[in-house]
Amino acid sequence: MSFDPMATAVDWLDAYRAGDVEAILEMYAEDAVVYCGCDALTITGREGLRAYWAARMRKYPAAELDDLQPSQGGTVISYISGENVVNAVLAFNAAGKIKALSCGPPAPTHASCRP
């Protein structure tokens, strides 16, 4: 199965911006891990991901795309949340599902990625 990691990252951001938790969850592999540098959390499991994304969408909604770049095995996507830019690195499995996501501020000059 072939997929476009850059397009999938944009779809992920679109689902985040729409506040669609179920669409976000569908994009993750069953054994996916989210490493949140904003809150120093590691999230695993379907219910853990559901709770994390539901809270994140409420507290820190994503706005516009800031940057999109390919990376080895995935994509780096930056987006605006509040007054901050958040950098997310998405790694995919062979089926095109997100196997790992690491997010946080893109540069050390940002003290926090929270709005």
Side-chain angles (χ1 to χ4, degrees), residues 18-104:
D20 191 341
V21 174
E22 294 307 314
I24 286 274
L25 291 176
E26 283 299 313
M27 300 182 86
Y28 284 90
E30 289 298 319
D31 59 348
V33 178
V34 170
Y35 304 100
C36 177
C38 304
D39 296 321
L41 296 172
T42 299
I43 302 95
T44 59
R46 212 40 132 195
E47 291 311 308
L49 290 172
R50 181 183 313 282
Y52 171 78
W53 282 113
R56 186 113 191 129
M57 289 173 179
R58 268 191 322 275
K59 294 178 185 176
Y60 312 112
E64 64 192 70
L65 176 67
D66 181 64
D67 194 22
L68 182 68
Q69 300 291 324
S71 72
Q72 188 173 14
T75 303
V76 177
I77 187 167
S78 299
Y79 58 91
I80 308 298
S81 179
E83 295 179 7
N84 297 299
V85 174
V86 179
N87 199 41
V89 179
L90 287 76
F92 299 95
N93 65 18
K97 298 284 187 173
I98 299 167
K99 66 180 179 180
L101 180 141
S102 299
C103 63

